[in-house]
Amino acid sequence: MKRRKSRPVQLGGVTVGGDAPVSVQSMTNTDTRDAAATIAQIRRLVQAGCEIVRVAVPDREAARALSEIKKNITIPLVADIHFDYRLALAAIEAGVDGLRINPGNIGGRDKVAEVVKAAGRKKIPIRIGVNAGSLEKDLAGDGEITPEAMVESALRHIAILEDLNFFDIKISLKASDVPLMINAYRLLAGKVDYPLHVGVTEAGTVLRGSIKSAVGIGILLWEGIGDTIRVSLTGDPIQEVRAAYEILRALGLRRRGVEIISCPTCGRTQIDLINIACAVEDRLAGLDMPLRVAVMGCVVNGPGEARHADVGIAGGKGEGLIFRKGRVIRKVPEALLVEELVKEIDDLVNGRNRDEGF
């Protein structure tokens, strides 16, 4: 795939756009006013691989918490602002790395100019976030939202910032309708060279939302469109980060953590593969070294798939074979498969660390 060319934007220590890898971000669902809870959640997100985090800033108390949050995290912090330009100014003063605003809804031109001047002084990028559910009245028409209307909204907001000589911009065009979102991004991608934040908004619960996001985000990334992504899910934001990396991994764009290859089971399966695969996934969730682990239920496809994995198992009747780089290591009872597989992975990881001088 050929990546769309976009101008790079610096968000703290993370480059978005240009030749930088597609970055993964999420948003906290804690009360931002509770700095301790928000910091704790961000740290868990970082462990999962989150590279940019956004927090809601609904009022002055939330804005006051931003400096404490910023001091205690290691990834760029983006403040999500609506309606009140003073919250954007407070967030900038608190040291955030980025803003998410709609220039058209935070006040008149003079108010926008104040925000832009403050952001420019501290080199803080602004993401223009267009959402199909909150378009301007003249663009929403009779309620049927079109890709053209979403793009027109984005271009209006872009023009406001450009007229103020501000170009440190990222853009998102989110919708819960996947075809609408895809077509809007496609249309905008040919009109501007700003980096694009891609996602399906209000995608749903973990299963449904991950599927909708994989389709929408995946199609665009395959077409070279997208510089940073968020998988929006109703649930623990940790799942957003995991889903994002699975999308990127499936497209060959990023490889982080363990890739588990497991078969869907069938009548030949003679071990409790479903629970074994889930247990392996849980045990390896915190390992960020890129490894391919095969968990296969029988000898038909098992040895072949395990041969292409760093380590894996292939089940038999009440037992399984442990493979490593395609070589059978040993046969173990079903009850010990998970533990023995994890031990083999520990040995592999520790050996790789030694070999690479870690």
Side-chain angles (χ1 to χ4, degrees):
M1 72 190 75
K2 185 178 180 181
R3 180 99 172 263
R4 165 185 170 269
K5 289 186 178 180
S6 62
R7 64 173 75 184
V9 165
Q10 197 65 32
L11 194 65
V14 176
T15 302
V16 177
D19 296 324
V22 177
S23 54
V24 171
Q25 57 182 281
S26 185
M27 186 173 184
T28 59
N29 59 11
T30 55
D31 184 339
T32 308
R33 293 167 292 194
D34 186 342
T38 303
I39 291 165
Q41 187 174 76
I42 292 172
R43 287 176 174 172
R44 291 194 297 273
L45 285 166
V46 171
Q47 286 184 320
C50 185
E51 295 166 313
I52 300 167
V53 68
R54 180 161 47 110
V55 297
V57 186
D59 55 33
R60 291 290 185 92
E61 189 178 350
R64 284 193 291 269
L66 292 174
S67 59
E68 181 68 15
I69 294 168
K70 174 61 183 172
K71 284 188 297 187
N72 286 280
I73 64 173
T74 57
I75 59 175
L77 179 65
V78 177
D80 191 286
I81 309 291
H82 290 280
F83 309 123
D84 189 344
Y85 81 102
R86 292 170 297 182
L87 295 177
L89 293 174
I92 293 170
E93 188 63 30
V96 299
D97 300 288
L99 294 176
R100 188 274 193 183
I101 63 172
N102 282 335
N105 78 4
I106 62 167
R109 184 181 176 84
D110 57 331
K111 306 295 191 299
V112 176
E114 282 192 59
V115 173
V116 168
K117 184 178 179 180
R121 190 165 52 244
K122 294 201 173 183
K123 301 187 183 303
I124 293 174
I126 292 174
R127 171 161 74 93
I128 294 170
V130 174
N131 192 308
S134 56
L135 284 186
E136 298 91 319
K137 289 182 180 179
D138 66 308
L139 294 176
D142 59 0
E144 182 180 351
I145 306 301
T146 66
E148 290 78 11
M150 293 181 65
V151 170
E152 175 60 26
S153 177
L155 293 175
R156 289 180 185 181
H157 294 312
I158 292 168
I160 293 172
L161 298 187
E162 288 181 340
D163 287 347
L164 293 166
N165 202 36
F166 188 90
F167 304 94
D168 208 4
I169 300 169
K170 299 184 281 106
I171 309 162
S172 64
L173 295 168
K174 295 190 178 183
S176 58
D177 180 280
V178 173
L180 172 62
M181 163 262 192
I182 290 171
N183 288 321
Y185 275 107
R186 283 173 173 166
L187 186 58
L188 184 66
K191 295 180 178 292
V192 299
D193 66 350
Y194 294 114
L196 298 178
H197 167 125
V198 173
V200 179
T201 194
E202 299 145 6
T205 52
V206 173
L207 176 61
R208 293 176 185 272
S210 295
I211 292 170
K212 287 179 71 173
S213 297
V215 173
I217 296 172
I219 287 173
L220 289 171
L221 290 177
W222 186 248
E223 294 177 357
I225 298 171
D227 302 287
T228 183
I229 64 173
R230 180 197 174 191
V231 176
S232 299
L233 301 176
T234 306
D236 188 337
I238 299 296
Q239 299 297 336
E240 297 187 350
V241 177
R242 290 176 179 169
Y245 276 106
E246 290 301 326
I247 293 170
L248 292 171
R249 189 206 310 274
L251 294 171
L253 294 175
R254 298 283 299 270
R255 191 177 177 202
R256 182 190 187 280
V258 176
E259 177 183 6
I260 296 179
I261 302 166
S262 60
C263 68
T265 74
C266 69
R268 288 187 295 268
T269 306
Q270 294 180 288
I271 60 172
D272 186 7
L273 188 72
I274 294 173
N275 283 326
I276 289 172
C278 290
V280 171
E281 187 172 65
D282 288 343
R283 291 286 295 275
L284 302 181
L287 184 62
D288 64 4
M289 180 173 287
L291 290 175
R292 177 173 289 180
V293 177
V295 182
M296 309 303 292
C298 74
V299 296
V300 174
N301 294 318
E305 293 294 343
R307 188 173 297 119
H308 298 291
D310 294 296
V311 64
I313 62 172
K317 186 175 182 179
E319 61 186 10
L321 300 174
I322 302 283
F323 287 83
R324 184 163 166 178
K325 298 290 187 180
R327 182 170 60 90
V328 177
I329 302 298
R330 60 189 175 278
K331 182 186 293 186
V332 298
E334 177 179 352
L336 299 177
L337 272 175
V338 174
E339 288 300 326
E340 291 299 312
L341 179 62
V342 170
K343 284 180 185 178
E344 202 62 41
I345 291 168
D346 286 341
D347 288 345
L348 180 62
V349 169
N350 292 331
R352 182 176 292 183
N353 286 346
R354 287 193 298 270
D355 293 343
E356 295 178 2
F358 292 153

